[in-house]
Every structure is written in structure tokens, then in C-alpha cells.
């Protein structure tokens, strides 16, 4: 498709529900604009608006178009909305009784840290991340996108064979507040199916794209028996600030119980791969143990409450 578009000298307008396509086309040197369809009725149960709908809304209704730029993020131009969606998700973390089903970090009383990778699996970056993790014999958690999982099952097999954990990161990386509950559930269901062959069942760890959730209640998450995993360390590696900057940002922010957000898909992640050895070596030198997210969160309620010096039912 990219070769065809290059040959036509085309400018491209894509539907904002395909968050990862935006970056890939931009990296290929195409001029790309994003049209956001904020009404769920404009979208099918799964996937993008039709070409007819996209053309009509773009040419007739004149919605705002956002032009992409390498390193600007897949939803540039919607920064305030994305921040609001993330704040909604963090409010769910704060409002729940501990330990709950929404997490931004694990227990703070043990020197354990979870490395997580979003938006893959995608070659060659997932392969390179796995090589580094194997070299240091440390586990990680991969929040996989369904489209990429369906396209690269061999990478899912390698993730599983190396003992890493899987998480659900939706089918096409949409901004979830743009979707209906039924559309969100279909995103999770289809991704779970794509991963389940390698994970022994649909993963119960879930990370919303951009960390953004629509306003509650979250009964739809309960029906999926999903545990929502956010993060407390974000080096913004997607912006490609350089491997040294990524490593320094992680190491400056990390503390016991941290969940580190990084990326193995969605674009050129070579800087993230190059930063990994420094991150891992320094954390190990500091006495941290690197664990999967499910291991970080698996302590019984009574143990977590005792560590905080509170009763098991006390709010977090």
C-alpha cells in the first residue's frame, strides 16, 4: 500500500481509529492527515470508517484534519483530550479499594520493577527487545495490538517461549472515548482471540491506548475480568529523544513498584532498544528485581494491607 501511494504522489487521509497506521505512513515519507470520528455511529463494530464516510465527512463536513509529523505521536492535535482521558483512568486507580482492578504501580515496599512494551509485536524491534531481555535473563510484559498480533504470530510465539507476559492493547489502537461500549468490547475480544493461542487464554491484563478511558462505570471491564494497567514511569520513548535521554528518564523516575512504559511497535523503536541495556544494568546494580506485571501485582490483599500498615479493606 505504501509503495502504491508513493507511486501516485498521494496525500493520505486516514481514520483516527487506526492509531498505528498514522505513524507508519508518516515514517514512509507520505503526507498524512488524520480525521477523527468522535461519533461511534460513524464507525463499524470493529475497524475504521468506510472510505465513503471518510470522504464525505472530510470533503463536505470539513472536520479538523491533523497533519502527522515523525515523533509527534499518533494523536497529535488532541493533546488536551488525551490528557483528560488519562486523568479519568488515573481517577479510577485512585478511587478503587486496594488492590482493585486499576493499577499505575505495584507495592512500594519491595525493590521490584516491571518493564512493559506497547504496540507490538512488530519486527524488527520486538525481536531486538527480546534479544536484550534474553541476554540479561529478565522478564517483561508485552501489551499487544490485535492487528500486529494477527500479522506476526511468530513473534507472539517467541514472547511466550521466553516466559514473558501478555497484555491486551486493543485491536487497532483507537482513542477509546471515541468508541461505544460495544465497540470497545469488540476491540478487546478480537485482540484476546489473536493472542490466546500463545497465552493459554485471552490475557486479563489490559492497557488502554494513550492510557485513556471514557468516563465510568466500568462494568464492561468487569465482564472481561480485565485488570487495567497504567504506569508511573514514562520516558516518552515514542518521541525518539535519543537512547541516552530515554535511559536517563527511566532511571530518574523509577522507584520500588514502578511500572515502566516503553514501546516495541508503532514506529521506529531502535532508540528504545538501544536504551534497554543501560536501563536493565543500572536497575540490577541498584538492587531491583525485574518482574512481569502479573507478578508485581499478585500479592494477596492481606500482605499488601500489612505492608501499608492498614486493614485489607482500607482505601489505597
Amino acid at each position: 500500500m505504501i509503495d502504491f501511494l508513493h507511486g501516485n504522489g498521494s496525500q493520505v487521509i486516514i481514520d483516527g481509529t487506526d492509531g498505528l497506521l498514522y505513524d507508519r505512513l508518516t515514517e514512509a515519507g507520505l503526507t498524512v492527515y488524520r480525521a477523527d470520528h468522535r461519533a461511534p455511529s460513524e464507525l463499524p463494530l470493529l475497524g475504521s470508517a468506510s472510505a465513503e464516510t471518510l470522504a464525505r465527512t472530510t470533503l463536505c463536513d470539513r472536520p479538523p484534519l491533523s497533519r502527522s509529523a515523525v515523533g509527534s505521536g499518533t494523536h497529535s492535535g488532541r493533546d488536551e483530550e488525551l490528557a483528560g482521558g488519562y486523568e479519568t483512568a488515573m481517577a479510577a486507580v485512585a478511587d478503587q479499594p486496594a488492590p482493585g482492578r486499576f493499577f499505575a504501580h505495584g507495592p512500594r515496599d519491595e525493590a521490584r520493577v516491571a518493564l512493559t512494551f506497547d504496540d507490538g509485536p512488530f519486527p524488527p524491534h520486538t525481536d531486538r527487545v527480546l534479544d536484550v531481555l534474553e541476554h540479561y535473563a529478565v522478564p517483561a510484559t508485552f501489551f499487544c495490538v490485535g492487528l500486529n498480533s494477527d500479522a506476526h504470530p511468530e513473534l507472539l510465539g517467541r514472547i511466550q517461549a521466553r516466559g514473558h507476559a501478555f497484555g491486551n492493547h486493543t485491536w487497532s489502537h483507537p482513542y477509546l472515548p471515541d468508541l461505544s461500549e460495544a465497540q470497545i468490547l469488540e476491540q478487546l475480544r478480537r485482540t484476546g482471540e489473536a493472542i490466546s493461542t500463545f497465552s493459554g487464554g485471552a490475557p486479563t491484563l489490559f492497557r488502554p491506548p494513550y492510557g485513556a478511558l471514557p468516563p465510568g462505570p466500568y462494568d464492561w471491564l468487569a465482564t472481561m475480568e480485565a485488570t487495567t494497567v497504567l504506569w508511573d514511569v514514562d520516558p516518552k520513548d515514542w518521541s525518539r529523544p535519543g537512547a541516552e535521554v530515554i535511559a536517563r528518564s527511566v532511571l530518574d523516575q523509577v522507584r520500588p513498584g514502578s511500572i515502566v512504559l516503553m514501546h516495541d511497535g508503532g514506529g521506529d523503536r531502535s532508540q528504545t532498544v538501544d536504551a534497554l541495556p543501560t536501563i536493565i544494568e543500572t536497575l540490577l546494580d541498584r538492587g531491583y528485581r525485574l518482574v512481569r506485571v502479573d507478578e508485581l501485582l499478585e500479592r494477596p490483599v492481606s500482605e499488601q494491607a500489612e505492608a501499608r500498615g492498614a486493614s485489607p479493606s482500607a482505601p489505597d
Side-chain angles (χ1 to χ4, degrees):
M1 180 179 69
I2 288 172
D3 289 343
F4 172 79
L5 293 170
H6 268 304
N8 277 270
S10 302
Q11 294 189 13
V12 184
I13 299 173
I14 65 169
D15 178 1
T17 57
D18 281 321
L20 300 184
L21 186 61
Y22 190 58
D23 248 9
R24 290 185 201 169
L25 295 175
T26 304
E27 287 182 350
L30 294 164
T31 300
V32 184
Y33 296 87
R34 188 190 70 245
D36 297 311
H37 296 274
R38 292 170 171 80
S41 61
E42 297 175 345
L43 300 170
L45 185 61
L46 183 75
S48 307
S50 67
E52 179 182 354
T53 299
L54 191 59
R56 185 180 64 251
T57 56
T58 301
L59 296 175
C60 302
D61 299 338
R62 301 288 181 182
L65 297 179
S66 300
R67 181 171 177 175
S68 66
V70 173
S72 65
T74 57
H75 263 57
S76 58
R78 298 186 70 180
D79 295 343
E80 290 186 9
E81 289 179 75
L82 264 63
Y86 179 73
E87 289 172 4
T88 298
M90 288 299 293
V93 174
D95 290 346
Q96 66 178 330
R101 285 195 172 273
F102 297 83
F103 293 89
H105 59 80
R108 294 298 196 189
D109 62 316
E110 291 187 16
R112 300 189 301 170
V113 169
L115 302 179
T116 70
F117 298 90
D118 285 11
D119 300 348
F122 196 73
H125 310 298
T126 302
D127 281 307
R128 294 186 62 204
V129 167
L130 289 169
D131 288 344
V132 175
L133 296 173
E134 184 175 3
H135 175 78
Y136 291 99
V138 297
T141 304
F142 289 81
F143 287 90
C144 299
V145 172
L147 281 169
N148 287 342
S149 300
D150 204 41
H152 303 289
E154 75 286 353
L155 289 177
L156 293 180
R158 191 177 176 203
I159 291 170
Q160 189 275 335
R162 296 295 182 267
H164 304 294
F166 289 99
N168 191 320
H169 199 41
T170 72
W171 181 258
S172 62
H173 206 272
Y175 177 59
L176 295 186
D178 285 350
L179 304 185
S180 69
E181 180 178 311
Q183 289 164 340
I184 295 173
L185 285 172
E186 187 67 7
Q187 287 266 340
L188 271 64
R189 185 188 70 79
R190 284 287 297 275
T191 304
E193 287 180 353
I195 298 173
S196 61
T197 301
F198 300 93
S199 61
T204 57
L205 299 177
F206 163 61
R207 174 171 284 164
Y210 317 103
L213 287 175
Y218 298 109
D219 296 340
W220 53 274
L221 275 173
T223 64
M224 302 288 291
E225 297 185 351
T227 297
T228 300
V229 180
L230 302 176
W231 57 84
D232 66 331
V233 176
D234 179 9
K236 293 182 170 52
D237 61 327
W238 52 265
S239 67
R240 297 177 230 171
E244 292 183 5
V245 174
I246 293 170
R248 184 169 63 250
S249 179
V250 170
L251 297 171
D252 286 348
Q253 295 179 64
V254 78
R255 54 188 291 208
S258 281
I259 297 174
V260 181
L261 169 66
M262 291 182 286
H263 296 81
D264 65 319
D268 181 354
R269 303 305 176 210
S270 55
Q271 292 184 6
T272 301
V273 176
D274 292 343
L276 262 185
T278 298
I279 292 170
I280 293 172
E281 290 177 12
T282 305
L283 290 176
L284 294 176
D285 286 345
R286 291 179 181 178
Y288 283 103
R289 185 160 66 93
L290 301 181
V291 298
R292 303 174 357 167
V293 166
D294 56 331
E295 296 168 335
L296 187 70
L297 305 179
E298 71 184 358
R299 291 174 56 185
V301 176
S302 58
E303 286 187 23
Q304 294 193 35
E306 183 179 356
R308 288 193 304 271
S311 66
S313 59
D316 201 1

